[in-house]
Amino acid sequence: MAPQDSAVSSESHLGPQQDHHHHLRSIPGEIPIPHGPPGDHDDDDYPVRDASADERRIFGHVTRPDDSYTPDGIYWADLPWSRRVGFVSKVDRESAAQELKTIGSMMKEDPLSPLSWYFRHAVIPGAGLGLEGYVLFSIGNLEPLFAQVWPECWDKNVTCSQNWIASVTYLEIIGIMVGQVFVGIIGDWIGRRWGLIQDAIIMFFGLLMLTASWGLTMEGWVICYAWSLFFYMLTIAFIGLGVGGEYPITATSSLESAVTAGKLSTREDRLHRGRRVTTAFLMQGWGQFVNQVLLIVLLVIFNSGSGSPPYSASAAQFAFRLSFAFPAIGTAWLVYYRTWKMPHASKQLAQAKSKSHVTGYDVTALRYCFTHFGGRLTATAGTWFCNDVFFYGNKLFQGQFIKVISNNPKSLMTTWTWNLVNITVSLAGYYLASLLIDNKLYGRKMMQQIGFFMCFLMFVIPAFKYEYFTSPAGIHAFQAMYFLSSFFNQFGPNSVTFLVAGEVYPTPVRATAHGFSACLGKAGALLASVLYAYIDNQTKFYVVPWFGLVGMLLTWLFLPVTTGLDLKEQERRWSYIRQGKAHEYHGVAVNPAHLSLWERMRGVGKTYDPELDWKTKIEDMRADWEAVQAARGPKETEGDAAEGHGMPDDGEFSQEIHNYFQRSSPKNIRSGGVLSEKIPENESAASK
């Protein structure tokens, strides 16, 4: 559980790629390095300088980290399946052993330290989603309570307009949708930090409004309640739009948290990036759990110590108002934490904009995103849409089996207790997803496909034998399918869509693309809530399963495989795309194993060449180093050299690399030599 940011092994991992040999011209006795694309002059006139053992030692841990490359320099995704299983399993075992050792060391110093680590790295990053999940689930839980206490309004629609009762759900979903899009844009335009802060502020005031909602008439209260909910989900206040944006802003900040610490390209990011994001996302499940427990306790306390009907109006008032007041306290703390304790949340975005010389919203990046990643948008938005039809469709099971299995199906305690069991099953799915989402032999794409397929089965089976499964004879099988659909929804598309909707896009448009995908997802929820109001229960089971097959097909065709892919490489590929040189990028981000079927059909993976990439990666590192030197100035750079400064602040430039680039700068070429520099053939051996 405790990530290790220690330096990766400095052992040499450079070597010729067995499956990608190119003709190399090398000096006898030297180990050849792969050469890059030819320049304006004839390559035959300039032999390539070869990598010395010292150069291999200096750059080996950066260009060929041992958690992704074999000792002979082959990338894990290029290995035959039998060798891949052995290599991946070995890396995972070593990582797990190191984490267990670290946890043991932590517990020796402080037995509770693993809990405090989990709180800092999972609970706090996901606190916004936890609070949002709490409130969203509370809305659905409170409606049956209102219907029993005030049936003339919430059930029979005599004193209240049916449209206003329905608007509680519709305004909730629409508010989320608009908030997701606009906060995503704000996150890429103004910064992640502002998006995090304004979301927390809006949640806080929205909870105060929900707690205090009132009206002179019952319908007046419903209207006030609905608009308070809408404010919580969406509000326009100068440049802030509501809590629906918690999705894109939490996802992007969790993905980039390693960057904020200056350690994007660490072993921890490659091995456990998915776990870091999904452990924040699963706080949504804990928010639902806490809400259900709190509502049960409050109703029992204020309904004369009994959870059985009838329920008094005062008990309903206390239960619903306190259920919103308690999370308001936690949200106030969240405002404080995000304002004063997260000063570097926008660091990676600022660096990306600086490299592209962009100060506002990167419109060019957005255009390139549609041009180069249109298939990925189809995958992330389309699969999220299909998933939310299932996510809300899961409620179809509950009412049916409760009617058969319970002696008192009208009791809210019965409904809420089964809700609590279902949430617990969902949490098991969340945690198992976090455990396996980074496994290179299973990973994101496989997890999502299997999850969609299992949800399809759990809905299509009762569709064609509905009478049997809703009868006492088949009700236990029906109940099992209900829980399995909850489990595989979390251990599948619900967790994966949240992660990949930000992971497969570059930094300048990551929040925008995630917000757009989440918005389309909530359109699926809106479709479900409207559609289910007009069709009977068995018809619902005929309709819903096919969204699982569609989601599975979209995943297979359009979703790339990002498991085990270093985000640094995605950013590096993006820099080539941004410069109009996409065809000159040869790294692992275009490895066919990391691309979708759609991208491979379009020929994106044809530029993959690990030998050419080795050289260009060093040149890219040199360019970054030189840019920093130029920005710092000669005197400042000279003064910092002895202290190990003057390198790009991304955690991968050691003092040795800094010294190497300093020795091999243009003014020192003759004395120190430059890696991969081309030397005229008429130079003396000594100068070589």
Side-chain angles (χ1 to χ4, degrees):
M1 288 174 52
Q4 294 303 299
D5 291 329
S6 59
V8 294
S9 171
S10 60
E11 300 270 337
S12 171
H13 299 294
L14 295 178
Q17 301 293 317
Q18 294 180 356
D19 299 330
H20 303 277
H21 288 296
H22 286 255
H23 176 66
L24 300 178
R25 286 154 294 142
S26 59
I27 301 173
E30 296 281 354
I31 300 172
I33 62 170
H35 59 82
D40 296 332
H41 45 264
D42 187 355
D43 275 358
D44 293 334
D45 296 333
Y46 293 85
V48 179
R49 180 182 296 276
D50 300 313
S52 67
D54 188 53
E55 289 164 348
R56 294 175 61 216
R57 178 181 58 79
I58 293 173
F59 291 100
H61 72 284
V62 178
T63 58
R64 296 290 186 266
D66 60 3
D67 59 276
S68 299
Y69 290 84
T70 63
D72 51 350
I74 302 178
Y75 188 57
W76 69 269
D78 293 330
L79 293 170
W81 183 254
S82 58
R83 288 188 62 194
R84 186 186 306 184
V85 171
F87 176 78
V88 168
S89 300
K90 178 176 180 292
V91 170
D92 288 346
R93 285 196 305 269
E94 291 174 351
S95 176
Q98 181 61 46
E99 289 190 327
L100 289 174
K101 181 179 178 181
T102 301
I103 292 173
S105 300
M106 292 169 63
M107 293 184 69
K108 286 182 180 179
E109 296 183 6
D110 180 359
L112 297 180
S113 59
L115 293 178
S116 63
W117 179 94
Y118 182 81
F119 184 81
R120 291 193 310 273
H121 292 85
V123 177
I124 292 179
L129 280 174
L131 289 163
E132 184 185 30
Y134 176 103
V135 174
L136 296 184
F137 200 69
S138 184
I139 304 304
N141 279 335
L142 288 171
E143 284 193 26
L145 174 62
F146 295 160
Q148 292 200 33
V149 176
W150 298 290
E152 297 300 314
C153 174
W154 286 86
D155 186 21
K156 301 176 182 178
N157 303 125
V158 175
T159 59
C160 301
S161 167
Q162 185 178 2
N163 290 333
W164 273 111
I165 298 299
S167 71
V168 171
T169 299
Y170 298 155
L171 284 175
E172 171 190 349
I173 296 175
I174 292 171
I176 293 174
M177 291 172 64
V178 180
Q180 286 168 336
V181 171
F182 282 94
V183 174
I185 294 173
I186 287 170
D188 288 331
W189 183 10
I190 301 175
R192 319 294 195 226
R193 183 170 178 264
W194 169 249
L196 289 165
I197 293 171
Q198 66 90 32
D199 255 9
I201 292 173
I202 289 170
M203 282 195 289
F204 175 70
F205 284 105
L207 284 167
L208 292 183
M209 291 174 63
L210 286 166
T211 303
S213 59
W214 198 261
L216 296 177
T217 64
M218 180 58 65
E219 185 169 36
W221 168 64
V222 171
I223 294 172
C224 181
Y225 178 73
W227 282 110
S228 298
L229 179 61
F230 183 75
F231 180 91
Y232 182 85
M233 301 304 164
L234 166 109
T235 186
I236 302 177
F238 300 104
I239 54 175
L241 289 104
V243 70
E246 194 65 32
Y247 283 81
I249 211 67
T250 297
T252 53
S253 61
S254 296
L255 276 168
E256 297 167 3
S257 62
V259 183
T260 303
K263 297 174 181 176
L264 170 63
S265 198
T266 62
R267 176 189 299 260
E268 169 63 21
D269 182 72
R270 288 186 293 270
L271 295 180
H272 301 304
R273 181 176 64 248
R275 185 180 66 183
R276 183 173 66 244
V277 177
T278 50
T279 49
F281 177 62
L282 66 80
M283 289 305 299
Q284 185 182 65
W286 279 112
Q288 296 171 1
F289 184 89
V290 171
N291 171 258
Q292 192 62 87
V293 171
L294 187 60
L295 280 176
I296 291 173
V297 172
L298 290 173
L299 190 59
V300 169
I301 291 174
F302 292 105
N303 197 53
S304 303
S306 171
S308 301
Y311 304 108
S312 66
S314 62
Q317 289 279 7
F318 276 112
F320 107 79
R321 295 187 190 281
L322 287 176
S323 72
F324 289 132
F326 285 129
I329 299 172
T331 308
W333 177 86
L334 191 63
V335 173
Y336 157 78
Y337 184 86
R338 289 181 171 181
T339 303
W340 280 279
K341 300 296 183 179
M342 298 183 68
H344 304 298
S346 300
K347 180 177 180 179
Q348 186 184 355
L349 178 65
Q351 290 177 343
K353 286 186 175 184
S354 176
K355 287 184 177 180
S356 302
H357 306 291
V358 174
T359 55
Y361 188 83
D362 198 337
V363 179
T364 302
L366 182 63
R367 185 175 69 252
Y368 280 16
C369 181
F370 281 99
T371 303
H372 294 272
F373 300 130
R376 299 186 178 197
L377 282 170
T378 302
T380 57
T383 56
W384 206 325
F385 178 91
C386 294
N387 173 66
D388 269 23
V389 175
F390 269 108
F391 188 78
Y392 284 80
N394 181 260
K395 296 295 181 183
L396 298 177
F397 284 102
Q398 182 175 281
Q400 296 302 309
F401 86 75
I402 286 178
K403 287 179 183 179
V404 179
I405 206 170
S406 173
N407 294 326
N408 187 13
K410 291 186 178 181
S411 171
L412 273 179
M413 290 298 109
T414 301
T415 302
W416 287 355
T417 301
W418 282 114
N419 272 345
L420 198 58
V421 175
N422 192 39
I423 295 168
T424 304
V425 172
S426 297
L427 279 171
Y430 278 119
Y431 276 102
L432 189 58
S434 296
L435 183 66
L436 293 180
I437 203 162
D438 288 308
N439 186 287
K440 298 182 182 72
L441 305 179
Y442 191 69
R444 291 108 156 108
K445 187 166 184 173
M446 182 65 71
M447 183 182 294
Q448 180 154 297
Q449 288 178 290
I450 292 176
F452 268 127
F453 181 70
M454 291 302 296
C455 286
F456 163 75
L457 286 181
M458 296 307 104
F459 277 81
V460 79
I461 291 173
F464 294 97
K465 295 189 70 175
Y466 185 75
E467 295 298 328
Y468 168 76
F469 285 111
T470 55
S471 69
I475 194 63
H476 291 292
F478 195 60
Q479 182 182 7
M481 287 186 286
Y482 167 58
F483 289 130
L484 283 172
S485 71
S486 294
F487 176 83
F488 278 103
N489 185 256
Q490 312 311 326
F491 181 51
N494 202 40
S495 293
V496 177
T497 51
F498 181 82
L499 168 62
V500 298
E503 191 179 40
V504 300
Y505 302 108
T507 299
V509 291
R510 178 169 291 138
T512 301
H514 192 286
F516 172 78
S517 302
C519 176
L520 263 290
K522 280 296 174 283
L526 185 61
L527 171 67
S529 61
V530 173
L531 182 64
Y532 297 165
Y534 295 98
I535 58 178
D536 60 52
N537 285 332
Q538 186 165 7
T539 305
K540 294 172 187 176
F541 283 95
Y542 284 135
V543 172
V544 172
W546 310 108
F547 286 93
L549 285 186
V550 173
M552 185 177 170
L553 178 63
L554 290 174
T555 303
W556 171 72
L557 183 58
F558 292 108
L559 187 67
V561 179
T562 48
T563 308
L565 177 61
D566 196 334
L567 271 189
K568 183 76 172 182
E569 275 302 304
Q570 288 210 131
E571 293 304 307
R572 185 166 159 255
R573 180 196 172 196
W574 171 251
S575 69
Y576 278 75
I577 292 173
R578 184 62 188 262
Q579 298 171 48
K581 301 178 180 179
H583 62 285
E584 295 183 18
Y585 174 78
H586 309 289
V588 294
V590 293
N591 186 312
H594 285 305
L595 299 174
S596 67
L597 176 60
W598 175 256
E599 289 170 327
R600 295 199 301 271
M601 290 168 60
R602 298 179 64 206
V604 176
K606 291 181 179 179
T607 61
Y608 176 59
D609 189 324
E611 294 181 347
L612 289 176
D613 185 60
W614 194 89
K615 174 182 179 260
T616 56
K617 183 177 288 187
I618 303 300
E619 292 171 348
D620 291 343
M621 292 167 60
R622 180 190 298 280
D624 288 342
W625 179 84
E626 289 175 348
V628 170
Q629 305 312 300
R632 294 173 68 87
K635 290 185 178 179
E636 190 177 1
T637 301
E638 184 178 347
D640 285 343
E643 301 178 14
H645 301 302
M647 293 80 76
D649 186 21
D650 59 7
E652 74 171 22
F653 282 79
S654 65
Q655 179 64 48
E656 281 189 309
I657 293 177
H658 170 71
N659 291 340
Y660 177 86
F661 285 146
Q662 193 171 50
R663 289 196 312 269
S664 60
S665 60
K667 65 181 181 180
N668 294 324
I669 280 181
R670 299 300 174 186
S671 58
V674 179
L675 181 66
S676 301
E677 281 291 325
K678 296 180 176 180
I679 311 299
E681 288 185 331
N682 60 359
E683 277 195 1
S684 66
S687 66
K688 293 181 182 180

